[in-house]
């Protein structure tokens, strides 16, 4: 009887294991890529720093003094309907600042009780100041685990 009870418990434990694996690449990041006026991919040789404005109005530098980059990846907030990013372009002598406002819908994403909760996003609008940036276009409005997808074309 004792062996039968042990076998029953073993089968019960095996059956309760989750068969869903959490994704390894589970960062939800927006991809910003730079282009020139002709629509060709552009590499920034000036230094670029990116700051995000938090709910309380404080700016937090998230990327600092990037050089020789053609794109960057940043997470979007999941508690605000609009994110504000300040881009600081520095050529060694002068700073030029542009601000991007990204409107989005935050979509809760659930895969398994074993995995952390994540938020996907649907981009609805983007606007910017035009000091160094000419315009910004939403190329792909769905932000999810696929970080290779370019979401924003930033024309300088």
């Amino acid at each position: 009887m004792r062996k039968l009870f042990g076998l029953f418990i073993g089968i019960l434990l095996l059956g309760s294991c989750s068969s869903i694996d959490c994704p390894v690449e589970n960062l939800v990041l927006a991809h910003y890529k730079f282009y020139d006026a002709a629509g060709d991919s552009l590499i920034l040789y000036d230094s670029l720093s990116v700051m995000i404005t938090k709910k309380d109005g404080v700016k937090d530098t998230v990327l600092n003094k990037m050089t020789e980059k053609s794109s960057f990846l940043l997470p979007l907030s999941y508690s605000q309907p609009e994110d504000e990013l300040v881009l600081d372009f520095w050529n060694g002598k002068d700073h030029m600042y542009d601000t991007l406002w990204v409107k989005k819908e935050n979509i809760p994403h659930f895969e398994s009780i074993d995995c952390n909760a994540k938020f996907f996003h649907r981009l609805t609008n983007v606007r910017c100041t035009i000091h160094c940036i000419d315009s910004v276009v939403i190329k792909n409005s769905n932000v999810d685990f696929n970080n290779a997808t370019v979401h924003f074309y930033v024309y300088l």
Side-chain angles (χ1 to χ4, degrees), residues 43-49 65-68 87-97 131-132 156:
I43 295 175
L44 284 180
Y45 291 102
D46 292 348
S47 175
L48 173 65
S49 296
K65 297 183 180 173
M66 298 183 305
T67 57
E68 298 185 22
L87 281 66
D88 175 8
F89 297 91
W90 186 63
N91 63 8
K93 295 187 304 184
D94 300 315
H95 288 273
M96 285 212 287
Y97 297 94
H131 303 287
C132 192
L156 302 177

Side-chain angles (χ1 to χ4, degrees), residues 68-83:
E68 298 185 22
K69 297 284 185 181
S70 63
S71 67
F72 64 91
L73 298 164
L74 276 181
L76 297 168
S77 71
Y78 53 85
S79 61
Q80 307 180 125
E82 184 175 58
D83 288 353

Side-chain angles (χ1 to χ4, degrees), residues 2 17 19 23 31 45 60 63-64 71 76 81 91 95-96 98 101 107 132 146-147:
R2 191 174 215 179
C17 291
S19 63
H31 192 166
Y45 291 102
D60 185 19
L63 297 174
N64 198 20
S71 67
L76 297 168
N91 63 8
H95 288 273
M96 285 212 287
D98 272 311
W101 293 272
I107 304 162
C132 192
N146 185 0
N147 297 330

